[in-house]
Amino acid sequence: MKAVVIGGGIIGLCSAWYLLQDGWEVTVLDKGDLSNNCSYGNMGMIVPSHFVPLAAPGMVQQGIRWMFNSRSPFYVKPRLSRELFSWGWQFMKSATAAKVEQAAAPLRDINLLSRHLYEQLATTPGFNFGMEQKGIIMYYKTAAVRDEEAHLAEKAVKMGLDAAVLDKAALQQLEPAVQLNVLGGVHYRCDAHLYPNGLMQQLLRALQERGVKITGGQQVEKIISSNGKVKAVITAAGSHTADLFVVAAGSWSAAIARMAGINIPLQPGKGYSVTLNQPAVSLQVPAILCEARVALTPMRGKLRFGGTMEIAPANNTVNMKRVEGIVQSIGQYFENLNITMPDKNEVWHGFRPCTPDGLPFIGYAKGTDNLLLAGGHAMMGLSLGPATGKLIAELAGHQAPSVGISHFSPGRFN
């Protein structure tokens, strides 16, 4: 049985990995050269703690306020677009306490599955991607955010996750080299991190060594289907036939799905990151700065920091005002990290595929029996890569999924 996976990011490669293990003959197609997609510049965090989706109560009002700040962490570019209007309307309908409560357990379960699969992958010969289980720390500076984070930590513990609310003194013991300027933080010891660049390179090599055909420069131009079954994918380089097709093309997944007559609401969310080599002062534990929505991860002697979410058409411009906002916020939490503004050519950017409710699409496309969708993971693509790949392989083999996936149905907005 042959499978074609469209997309060579972490979701596509993990799908190929687990399909291969189940006996499929796999081809991976990517429009780029597979060297610098969204999976390379992310923060490398594995986050069972992230059981609250992007579409949460208060995000609509907060997003409107942030729209008028050029350095804010969240921005929706206003434009006349039926797709954006529909996406925004669905986002508002999803941003309720009830919807967030319903999403908590599914997000926890799929993240825990992914962490377990990463642990297995880390012991596989040929893999050494710097996975460390030190958790992450959510730092806060204000009493209001402290109360919110303490409430979330309490909920996390009730859900079986390892989390502890710490004061500044306790945090300072965990980070002795850094001068903290915070009120406190929550240490989610259930989380982990890794070096994504190493992971991607090793996964590519391992797949190719095992016979998976991986080719770049394969922009999908047409999908041929009939009677609820995809027959072929056409690229500029030729036609690709298979028994199974998986769309895992990140922010371009919606456009590819439309070629098969499938409509899924998906918007690209641009994010930026900068990687410092051998900084004089660094962190021991990955950090998220709550008020600023900025993340920092130490990885193999490097320190990567990043943030922002720009909901706008995919483009390769770098908004240095938003980068400036990231840099300035770090100094407000860590007084001696001494991070200065990078040159524009040092700033990496990528596009996170965002669904209106903050939950990914994992499952068969509505009305088809051989087209699987795997996308919309937003900022959790790296975290959910192995779990998504495992679930895709299970669905392809008509096996019971390892975790419940009803909340991730691609047809839930139709």
Side-chain angles (χ1 to χ4, degrees), residues 97-254:
K99 291 287 182 67
V100 169
E101 183 66 29
Q102 292 168 8
L107 283 176
R108 173 203 60 193
D109 292 346
I110 191 173
N111 267 294
L112 287 173
L113 172 62
S114 229
R115 189 189 68 185
H116 172 67
L117 293 171
Y118 268 126
E119 291 166 354
Q120 290 184 341
L121 194 62
T123 62
T124 302
F127 287 91
N128 179 20
F129 43 82
M131 183 174 177
E132 297 186 69
Q133 303 206 32
K134 295 182 176 180
I136 66 168
I137 299 173
M138 308 284 290
Y139 289 94
Y140 45 77
K141 293 176 64 69
T142 62
V145 175
R146 175 197 62 197
D147 295 344
E148 291 173 9
E149 292 301 320
H151 174 72
L152 281 175
E154 182 182 5
K155 182 176 180 180
V157 171
K158 289 179 179 177
M159 292 173 65
L161 300 175
D162 187 356
V165 179
L166 304 177
D167 61 16
K168 180 181 177 180
L171 292 170
Q172 194 67 77
Q173 287 188 323
L174 291 173
E175 294 289 1
V178 182
Q179 295 174 12
L180 297 178
N181 182 16
V182 298
L183 192 60
V186 178
H187 189 193
Y188 283 97
R189 292 180 290 242
C190 54
D191 291 355
H193 72 283
L194 53 79
Y195 182 44
N197 304 60
L199 169 68
M200 292 297 293
Q201 292 161 2
Q202 292 160 25
L203 198 48
L204 272 169
R205 183 172 63 245
L207 287 166
Q208 290 170 325
E209 288 174 349
R210 289 161 172 80
V212 173
K213 184 179 179 182
I214 302 175
T215 54
Q218 297 276 345
Q219 179 86 42
V220 175
E221 297 179 346
K222 186 178 181 181
I223 292 179
I224 298 174
S225 57
S226 64
N227 300 321
K229 188 181 288 290
V230 173
K231 302 294 186 181
V233 168
I234 311 298
T235 72
S239 175
H240 301 270
T241 59
D243 303 288
L244 177 80
F245 295 84
V246 181
V247 177
S251 292
W252 290 269
S253 293

Side-chain angles (χ1 to χ4, degrees), residues 312-345:
N315 63 80
N316 291 315
T317 60
V318 174
N319 187 333
M320 292 303 286
K321 287 288 187 184
R322 299 209 173 274
V323 178
E324 187 178 44
I326 295 170
V327 171
Q328 289 177 351
S329 68
I330 293 171
Q332 294 167 6
Y333 290 76
F334 308 124
E335 294 183 353
N336 64 329
L337 277 186
N338 299 321
I339 292 176
T340 57
M341 273 295 288
D343 293 332
K344 184 177 282 192
N345 61 8

Side-chain angles (χ1 to χ4, degrees), residues 4 18 30 58 83 94 138 142-143 172 203 208 236 251 300 305 309-310 312 319 328 337 357 374 401 403 411-412:
V4 167
Y18 290 103
D30 193 272
E83 288 81 9
S94 300
M138 308 284 290
T142 62
Q172 194 67 77
L203 198 48
Q208 290 170 325
S251 292
R300 291 198 163 166
F305 62 88
M309 177 69 84
E310 292 182 25
N319 187 333
Q328 289 177 351
L337 277 186
D357 59 1
V403 295
R412 64 184 182 270

Side-chain angles (χ1 to χ4, degrees), residues 58-59 85 87 117 164-165 174-176 204 248 256 261 284 303 355 365 370 374:
M59 267 305 293
F85 179 83
W87 186 93
L117 293 171
V165 179
L174 291 173
E175 294 289 1
L204 272 169
I256 293 172
Q284 295 297 312
L303 180 65
T355 63
N370 73 332

